[in-house]
Amino acid sequence: MSDAVLLALQSHESSAQYEALKFAFACECAARVRHLLEDERVIRCLDILAAYVKGEADRGALDQAAAEAMALANRHQGSRSLDGVGHAAVSASYAVANALAGRAVQAADYAAYAAVYGAGGYGAVCDPESFAAERDWQRTTLERIANALATR
């Protein structure tokens, strides 16, 4: 977990827009690894989250998609290939499930793992420096969303 991302998110906890910030940030993190998703049902769940963030879906649809995404992530078979790239798909699925549940930090963590694993495999995720670019993107994205929400 990136302490900087966690601290940046926590710094907005007293904001009236905190819930919207968590969902919007988690959605962007999960959307960043959309290309790694293998199950169309998980992709549809991610689309429901995006609709919720835009105000085009209600909380009931969000909660239903959250339950479905978690069940799908829990049933993902992982990777049977030698390079293990399917593990990136599992992490991307968990990023979506956590994003839908409003667990922004966990969604960011799973998305970062999926992105790094998808780009560099097992060797990359063993090197903490492999996550630096992803964590920088997450911090920048979080602040961009927070600033946009503050000006509404």
Side-chain angles (χ1 to χ4, degrees):
M1 174 190 326
S2 167
D3 290 339
V5 172
L6 176 61
L7 291 172
L9 189 60
Q10 287 175 336
S11 73
H12 297 283
E13 280 182 330
S14 62
S15 164
Q17 300 293 331
Y18 182 64
E19 284 296 309
L21 174 62
K22 283 193 327 180
F23 280 107
F25 173 64
C27 184
E28 288 211 26
C29 289
R32 188 162 165 90
V33 294
R34 180 186 186 106
H35 65 284
L36 297 171
L37 295 170
E38 297 176 334
D39 190 325
E40 288 296 322
R41 296 170 296 177
V42 177
I43 293 169
R44 282 194 303 275
C45 290
L46 179 55
D47 291 341
I48 291 169
L49 175 58
Y52 180 80
V53 167
K54 294 178 194 172
E56 299 169 357
D58 64 19
R59 186 62 188 229
L62 180 77
D63 292 343
Q64 185 176 0
E68 181 179 3
M70 186 56 75
L72 291 166
N74 285 335
R75 287 195 305 261
H76 198 293
Q77 293 182 3
S79 185
R80 294 181 182 190
S81 66
L82 291 176
D83 65 3
V85 173
H87 295 312
V90 174
S91 293
S93 296
Y94 276 110
V96 172
N98 279 282
L100 281 156
R103 293 188 293 268
V105 173
Q106 293 87 342
D109 283 343
Y110 276 111
Y113 185 88
V116 171
Y117 203 115
Y122 179 74
V125 296
C126 292
D127 179 7
E129 289 302 311
S130 296
F131 291 86
E134 196 63 25
R135 295 304 186 191
D136 288 343
W137 177 87
Q138 288 178 349
R139 283 190 304 278
T140 301
T141 299
L142 179 60
E143 289 309 314
R144 176 182 48 79
I145 295 168
N147 290 336
L149 289 172
T151 60
R152 283 187 185 173

